[in-house]
Amino acid sequence: MRFKRFGASLLVTGLALLGTASPALAHSELKSSDPARGASLATPPTQIKLTFSGPVTLADQNPIQITGPENASWTVGRAEVAGTVVTAPVQAVGPAGEYTLRYKVTFEDTHATSGSVKFNLSAPAPSPTSQAATSSQAPASSAAPAPQAGETTPEDLVPAWVWIVLAVAVVVAGIVVALRFTRRKD
């Protein structure tokens, strides 16, 4: 009889631990981007779009930066937030090659995150004067529209050892409670 109570107490404790730990581990993340991760673009976009799994706010005054080969740095206009979507106009400059879009946002649970999306430009970005002449054309779409998960830096996440210590503490507390119940009944 004593072991059945102990087992039941341990089961209830384990279920409580699983039920409370799962929501704490669920963080919002980048769901998709335009340009998409790994996309190869023939012409540079005139706007970037980041879609997150939860509502966001901008983390600082320069939440989006795009850099590329030969120290190319695109001009990023004022970023706008509409719930889970961040958009910003961009003016591309630089040679063909791999570019990195870096972002910094804060989720509604107040944790800040940063990440990056790499894409390729297969032709050099036109100079600002030639870009103005072709501005009536539609922006290029990415070749790989599949959504990609965002990246978070390690300091944005709670270290695994904290969760392990918390789990052990809850299990130990459950065992202590179970033992006290079984001793009182005897």
Side-chain angles (χ1 to χ4, degrees):
M1 190 73 157
R2 183 181 292 180
F3 291 110
K4 285 183 183 179
R5 287 186 203 152
F6 178 72
S9 297
L10 199 55
L11 179 64
V12 170
T13 302
L15 290 174
L17 176 65
L18 288 175
T20 58
S22 296
L25 294 173
H27 285 295
S28 298
E29 62 185 8
L30 180 68
K31 284 177 39 179
S32 65
S33 64
D34 186 17
R37 185 179 318 279
S40 182
L41 307 176
T43 58
T46 57
Q47 173 179 290
I48 61 97
K49 179 179 176 182
L50 302 171
T51 304
F52 295 90
S53 60
V56 297
T57 57
L58 301 176
D60 61 15
Q61 290 183 338
N62 296 315
I64 298 169
Q65 298 174 352
I66 301 174
T67 56
E70 299 179 18
N71 296 322
S73 181
W74 292 12
T75 302
V76 179
R78 184 171 172 250
E80 300 285 332
V81 178
T84 61
V85 178
V86 177
T87 57
V90 295
Q91 185 175 13
V93 293
E98 183 178 73
Y99 284 81
T100 302
L101 181 158
R102 289 183 177 81
Y103 61 86
K104 295 177 188 175
V105 295
T106 302
F107 294 105
E108 67 180 354
D109 66 358
T110 68
H111 98 270
T113 190
S114 61
S116 63
V117 175
K118 293 184 184 244
F119 61 95
N120 289 297
L121 194 56
S122 60
S127 66
T129 55
S130 65
Q131 208 172 27
T134 61
S135 64
S136 62
Q137 296 177 352
S141 63
S142 61
Q148 301 293 324
E151 298 175 5
T152 55
T153 58
E155 57 269 6
D156 291 333
L157 302 174
V158 177
W161 67 267
V162 171
W163 294 112
I164 293 169
V165 169
L166 181 63
V168 169
V170 169
V171 169
V172 168
I175 291 171
V176 168
V177 169
L179 289 174
R180 289 192 181 209
F181 267 123
T182 57
R183 287 185 184 164
R184 285 186 184 168
K185 299 282 179 166
D186 291 340

